[in-house]
């Protein structure tokens, strides 16, 4: 399954369009990660715990989007975008969406 943020794939032809596919996940902060991030905020630098949390959330949202695309017969998702929103205090949604297509 090809996933791209481009609208077209150079050298490939879109032969069929299946519409919008999406995947999302809602993640909350782990108490341990939140505590370490608070300490790290004092000294500066990368908040590794949050970086890992967001990477895992992106991977899960993309995998769910790909599963939806496979289920409707697509072999690629183009024009992929990400969005985030706060669901409640301490929890956020990561949303991935794109256009499911068949490439030749």
């Amino acid at each position: 399954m090809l996933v791209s943020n481009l609208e077209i794939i150079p050298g490939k032809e879109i032969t069929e369009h299946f519409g919008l596919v999406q995947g999302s996940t809602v993640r909350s902060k782990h108490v341990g990660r939140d505590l370490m991030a608070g300490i790290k905020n004092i000294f500066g630098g990368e908040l590794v715990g949050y970086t890992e949390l967001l990477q895992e959330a992106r991977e899960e949202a993309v995998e769910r989007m790909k599963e939806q695309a496979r289920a409707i017969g697509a072999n690629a998702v183009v024009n992929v975008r990400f969005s985030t929103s706060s669901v409640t205090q301490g929890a956020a949604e990561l949303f991935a969406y794109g256009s499911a297509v068949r490439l030749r």
Side-chain angles (χ1 to χ4, degrees), residues 28-38 49-50 52-53 56:
S28 64
K29 295 181 281 188
H30 181 277
V31 172
R33 285 181 175 168
D34 206 26
L35 180 64
M36 292 306 293
Y50 287 163
E52 291 172 356
L53 178 72
E56 292 167 5

Side-chain angles (χ1 to χ4, degrees), residues 12-82:
K12 301 285 186 180
E13 177 186 359
I14 295 175
T15 60
E16 198 169 353
H17 180 260
F18 296 96
L20 180 72
V21 287
Q22 58 195 358
S24 70
T25 183
V26 176
R27 296 290 178 110
S28 64
K29 295 181 281 188
H30 181 277
V31 172
R33 285 181 175 168
D34 206 26
L35 180 64
M36 292 306 293
I39 293 170
K40 190 78 173 184
N41 264 340
I42 296 169
F43 302 105
E46 182 180 11
L47 303 176
V48 176
Y50 287 163
T51 300
E52 291 172 356
L53 178 72
L54 289 172
Q55 180 61 34
E56 292 167 5
R58 278 190 294 272
E59 290 172 4
E60 187 170 340
V62 167
E63 191 55 41
R64 289 177 178 174
M65 179 183 68
K66 289 165 55 178
E67 286 173 16
Q68 188 179 23
R70 274 188 215 101
I72 58 176
N75 66 0
V77 182
V78 295
N79 204 21
V80 172
R81 302 289 184 260
F82 292 94

